[in-house]
Amino acid sequence: MALEPERPATQGYYPHVMAGEEVPSVSGEPPPRKRRRRRRRPKPAAAAGAGSGTSSGTRAKPTAKTEAEQRKQRAASKVRASKKTKAKGASKKKASAKGPRRHIPTQREVSAGGVVYRREGEDIEIVLASRRTRRGDLAWGLAKGGIEPGESREDAAVREVREETGLDATIEADLGDTKYIYVWEDVRIRKRVHFFLMRHVGGDVDDRDDEMEEIRWFPLERALKRAAYRGEREVLGRAAELLR
């Protein structure tokens, strides 16, 4: 069997490469270097894209509508801030114009009065007394007055009814009290009035002091409406529950 002639080595052909062996140097030349493949680093996802929930991680471009809404929001916030600044400045000006608040002394007073009634057959009548207010209006209310030193609430109620209405009455029940505040001659008065249900036994409305302008008997339902002050209307309501 004839042997094949030995083929000359072709430049650039290295049979050892196919076998995975190192390439020997030929004619003193260094072996070719192996190329290293560069690993591509993953691109960092944009914060806006991650927050918006997009799968690609890229930042979504704001649309024209979104930009318009943002401009409106910024303008609205500026308007609100300017209004707050103006309001603060106006309040400061008002405070400086008014000056320091004047201290008003406060006093406490305790009084007593009565709901005087009489029966005319099946009807029930209540006596009310009227006086003029500072505005000149006629205000109807219950007879009442201050408790003098050493005087009980009951005695004060009977006395005040006699002085303001000219009528004599006897106490039958306690109707509780009412509280209110008013200002008299630059003094704040915190007043508490104890009321009693009183039955008319005599007297004359003409025999009274000049503090009250008029004394009149009213049907019970009408008296509940004519009383000028809310606290006294509540007291009359309690009396009505006992008399009906």
Side-chain angles (χ1 to χ4, degrees):
M1 182 177 182
L3 298 174
E4 292 182 2
E6 187 177 352
R7 295 181 181 178
T10 307
Q11 188 177 0
Y13 173 74
Y14 303 99
H16 304 283
V17 175
M18 299 302 293
E21 300 176 1
E22 293 184 0
V23 181
S25 59
V26 180
S27 302
E29 295 181 0
R33 296 181 180 179
K34 293 182 180 180
R35 293 185 179 179
R36 296 182 180 179
R37 306 181 80 182
R38 290 186 179 180
R39 294 183 180 179
R40 294 184 179 179
R41 297 181 180 177
K43 295 181 179 180
S52 61
T54 56
S55 59
S56 61
T58 57
R59 186 175 182 179
K61 294 182 178 180
T63 60
K65 185 178 180 180
T66 305
E67 292 178 354
E69 291 177 353
Q70 290 178 354
R71 286 196 297 269
K72 288 181 180 180
Q73 290 177 357
R74 287 194 294 269
S77 62
K78 290 181 180 179
V79 172
R80 288 193 295 269
S82 62
K83 286 183 178 180
K84 288 182 180 179
T85 305
K86 290 180 181 179
K88 288 181 180 179
S91 61
K92 288 181 180 179
K93 288 181 180 179
K94 288 182 180 180
S96 60
K98 292 180 180 179
R101 293 184 178 180
R102 183 168 54 90
H103 176 69
I104 300 177
T106 302
Q107 294 182 1
R108 297 181 182 274
E109 291 184 359
V110 181
S111 299
V115 177
V116 181
Y117 78 96
R118 70 182 180 183
R119 292 185 182 271
E120 296 290 336
E122 296 182 355
D123 298 331
I124 300 174
E125 293 181 335
I126 303 293
V127 66
L128 295 180
S130 67
R131 70 179 73 191
R132 293 287 173 180
T133 64
R134 289 185 177 182
R135 297 180 180 179
D137 300 328
L138 195 65
W140 291 93
L142 300 172
K144 58 187 179 295
I147 301 176
E148 296 180 356
E151 191 177 32
S152 66
R153 299 174 183 175
E154 292 80 2
D155 292 341
V158 173
R159 177 180 54 78
E160 287 295 333
V161 168
R162 180 69 180 81
E163 292 177 357
E164 293 188 354
T165 66
L167 302 176
D168 296 325
T170 180
I171 294 176
E172 291 187 345
D174 190 341
L175 297 176
D177 54 25
T178 181
K179 299 176 183 178
Y180 56 92
I181 300 174
Y182 68 96
V183 178
W184 181 260
E185 295 182 355
D186 294 333
V187 178
R188 182 185 291 108
I189 308 296
R190 294 182 179 272
K191 193 160 188 176
R192 182 177 184 180
V193 185
H194 298 275
F195 283 101
F196 299 91
L197 179 63
M198 305 173 67
R199 180 171 53 87
H200 171 241
V201 294
D204 189 351
V205 295
D206 293 331
D207 186 16
R208 68 179 190 277
D209 55 23
D210 298 334
E211 184 178 354
M212 296 301 174
E213 185 167 325
E214 184 180 358
I215 306 299
R216 187 186 303 177
W217 289 95
F218 290 90
L220 177 59
E221 299 300 329
R222 190 178 176 189
L224 290 169
K225 298 178 181 179
R226 288 300 300 270
Y229 308 106
R230 183 182 63 181
E232 295 187 3
R233 289 196 298 269
E234 293 176 354
V235 171
L236 284 168
R238 299 171 204 160
E241 292 178 358
L242 296 176
L243 294 173
R244 288 170 181 166

